[in-house]
Amino acid sequence: MHILIYSYNYYPEPIGIAPLMTELAEGLVAQGHEVRVITGMPNYPEREVYQEYRHKWYVTETRNGVTIQRCFLRIKSKPNLLDRLLLELSFVASSLPQALKGWRPDVIFVTVPPLFVTLPAFFLGWFYSCPVLLNVQDILTEAAKNVGLIQNKLMIRALSDLEKFAYKKARYISVIAEDFIEHLVKKDVNFQKIFCISNWVNVDFIRPLPKLNNPFRIAHNLEDKFVVLYSGNIALTQGLETAIASAASLQNIPEIVFVIVGEVQALENLKKCCRQYNAENVLLLPLQAREKLPQMLAAADVGLILQKCNVVCFNMPSKIPLLLASSRPIIASVPSEGTAAKAVRESGGGIVVAPESPQALAEAILDLYKNSAKAIELGEKGRKFAIAQYSFANALAEYEALFADAIANQTNNLAIIPKLAARKSVFISKS
């Protein structure tokens, strides 16, 4: 198959969708497929184009067999709503010429959000007479409204209309959690178009490693500490203030240290928060190189998942599979009925506590600090679940099947892949 992937983020960006799309593209190449990736100049998470890509309109590279076609982006390090809109529109305008360079795709695969990128993708689907598949990582309009990112009613209406258009035009829609299915069906999306394929983790790369003589622990003087780790994106939805307030309440136990790893700009704001709470047991570190990720996760005694109370139910943090695969117990301070809470409970690899409650978070941390056997048991259950449910090999096979089915069925008479249909029947039985 000739597969064109439209993904705003890609390697070398270290977090978010970039590592997942990189693994998927390279995995498809390893299976014998031709893959092109249309993406922006690397800029995430600092929202600054990486030095070697600055002042360039287009860059074409090849990495591990994947042709990467990069495009100009209008980037602002501290964007307002207009800047965010212009950023997406700049990618729409600059990506189309790149996408038209190269071989004709058999199928186009688009990650959402961002939402506007569906416009050039559907044009290309029409131009090349090939199916377009959406990979929905978040329900954009609801998420933006709930965290206050978008308040303009006209903008919300426009995004909602574009969302409906995208769902209608897509041949298939892959979602990362079953809660998404129910929500899309309520939006009158054809149920037969929707397939649940979870985000994955490379369980050979992210694996249990010893804490003793751990390079990350040694480098940051953490050898004798009980490490509570948060690593990844620091955004409006997370509410890291909860972790810092919890850390402040646990300062009477010198062995407990909170380690927060994230983008530099966000860490500056967290420094102010640490001063506000007089939290001296919080270590703030910049994002680590991806090759150091297994050792960093293994350095933790507990991994944190944090969400605010107003986060919509179908937000699924990609760090959950990573922590489970590392065999470290999770404490999830998240809405109890949300997708993240359900994933942690189902895995058996963690504890769910009330969101934005420093006291509840502190109590859960103390529980695992005092009960190492419980922490080990949770970690082992999480690792087993990650191997069974979040295997990259399984996800790759499911995407291959979905692409092949889309190509084989160029008409609107949708065919259902037996393997994936069996997974959907699980959802049906729950309703």
Side-chain angles (χ1 to χ4, degrees):
M1 290 182 283
H2 288 72
I3 303 165
L4 181 66
I5 296 178
Y6 240 99
S7 179
Y8 173 82
N9 299 104
Y10 195 77
Y11 175 89
E13 294 167 309
I15 60 175
I17 192 65
L20 291 170
M21 287 301 106
T22 302
E23 289 177 345
L24 178 61
E26 294 178 359
L28 289 166
V29 167
Q31 294 298 106
H33 306 292
E34 294 283 336
V35 180
R36 281 199 289 143
V37 174
I38 306 299
T39 189
M41 298 296 176
N43 66 90
Y44 194 72
E46 304 298 345
R47 296 183 179 88
E48 292 183 0
V49 174
Y50 293 11
Q51 182 65 43
E52 61 269 35
Y53 294 95
R54 291 178 184 172
H55 312 300
K56 296 180 181 179
W57 282 93
Y58 296 110
V59 173
T60 298
E61 305 168 316
T62 301
R63 181 178 184 271
N64 294 334
V66 179
T67 300
I68 308 165
Q69 297 173 276
R70 302 190 185 275
C71 316
F72 167 81
L73 298 173
R74 181 191 181 276
I75 295 284
K76 294 289 184 180
S77 58
K78 296 181 179 179
N80 56 31
L81 180 58
L82 178 60
D83 290 327
R84 292 177 186 274
L85 177 61
L86 292 174
L87 168 60
E88 291 200 25
L89 293 177
S90 71
F91 185 49
V92 169
S94 65
S95 65
L96 191 56
Q98 275 286 65
L100 290 168
K101 294 179 182 178
W103 38 255
R104 175 194 176 280
D106 298 314
V107 63
I108 300 172
F109 184 65
V110 190
T111 60
V112 177
L115 193 55
F116 284 96
V117 74
T118 59
L119 296 174
F122 285 124
F123 170 80
L124 291 165
W126 168 81
F127 183 79
Y128 288 119
S129 297
C130 68
V132 177
L133 280 67
L134 297 187
N135 171 236
V136 177
Q137 294 284 325
D138 204 348
I139 308 295
L140 182 66
T141 50
E142 281 80 358
K145 284 188 295 185
N146 281 27
V147 301
L149 182 61
I150 300 176
Q151 296 177 337
N152 184 289
K153 291 182 179 180
L154 289 177
M155 177 62 73
I156 292 172
R157 176 64 182 272
L159 290 175
S160 296
D161 289 344
L162 179 55
E163 199 173 34
K164 291 177 183 177
F165 170 81
Y167 296 152
K168 181 178 179 180
K169 290 295 183 181
R171 178 64 54 82
Y172 292 139
I173 301 168
S174 68
V175 296
I176 60 175
E178 286 187 352
D179 286 350
F180 286 50
I181 300 176
E182 183 178 3
H183 182 79
L184 293 184
V185 170
K186 288 180 180 178
K187 287 177 173 283
D188 296 323
V189 178
N190 183 347
F191 177 73
Q192 290 186 329
K193 294 174 110 176
I194 310 170
F195 297 90
C196 182
I197 304 177
S198 300
N199 283 345
W200 57 87
V201 58
N202 185 334
V203 294
D204 296 321
F205 176 60
I206 305 296
R207 61 196 188 280
L209 295 172
K211 284 183 285 188
L212 186 65
N213 296 323
N214 179 287
F216 185 87
R217 280 182 166 254
I218 293 171
H220 300 291
N221 299 314
L222 299 168
E223 295 100 315
D224 299 321
K225 302 297 184 180
F226 184 87
V227 176
V228 181
L229 175 70
Y230 178 90
S231 175
N233 188 31
I234 299 173
L236 290 173
T237 56
Q238 268 82 45
L240 268 293
E241 298 85 356
T242 300
I244 292 173
S246 181
S249 71
L250 293 170
Q251 287 188 108
N252 61 314
I253 305 175
E255 290 80 15
I256 297 179
V257 174
F258 284 61
V259 178
I260 299 176
V261 183
E263 57 268 36
V264 173
Q265 287 185 349
L267 293 180
E268 289 300 318
N269 293 328
L270 291 182
K271 286 180 182 177
K272 299 175 184 177
C273 188
C274 288
R275 289 194 292 268
Q276 177 186 344
Y277 285 99
N278 295 316
E280 298 181 358
N281 57 342
V282 178
L283 177 61
L284 303 176
L285 297 173
L287 289 169
Q288 306 292 295
R290 184 158 178 80
E291 57 268 20
K292 296 181 179 180
L293 184 57
Q295 291 290 354
M296 183 186 73
L297 294 174
D301 291 278
V302 172
L304 294 184
I305 305 294
L306 298 168
Q307 291 178 340
K308 289 187 174 181
C309 296
N310 60 359
V311 172
V312 289
C313 67
F314 30 79
N315 183 286
M316 176 64 179
S318 58
K319 60 178 67 65
I320 290 179
L322 291 172
L323 288 170
L324 293 174
S326 69
S327 195
R328 295 299 182 260
I330 293 173
I331 297 179
S333 172
V334 298
S336 62
E337 298 304 316
T339 299
K342 291 179 182 178
V344 171
R345 290 194 191 102
E346 184 181 2
S347 73
I351 300 168
V352 177
V353 301
E356 298 187 69
S357 172
Q359 181 180 354
L361 181 58
E363 289 173 355
I365 291 168
L366 274 176
D367 180 31
L368 295 185
Y369 171 71
K370 295 176 180 178
N371 193 343
S372 60
K374 180 178 179 180
I376 291 171
E377 181 183 3
L378 290 173
E380 290 175 347
K381 287 182 178 179
R383 171 68 182 179
K384 291 178 181 178
F385 189 85
I387 292 172
Q389 299 296 325
Y390 295 129
S391 162
F392 173 57
N394 291 342
L396 179 62
E398 290 180 322
Y399 273 118
E400 274 193 289
L402 194 59
F403 294 157
D405 188 78
I407 294 168
N409 294 276
Q410 289 291 335
T411 68
N412 289 327
N413 184 20
L414 300 177
I416 305 301
I417 302 173
K419 178 181 178 182
L420 293 177
R423 295 183 61 172
K424 289 200 298 184
S425 66
V426 175
F427 170 76
I428 297 171
S429 67
K430 293 180 179 179
S431 58

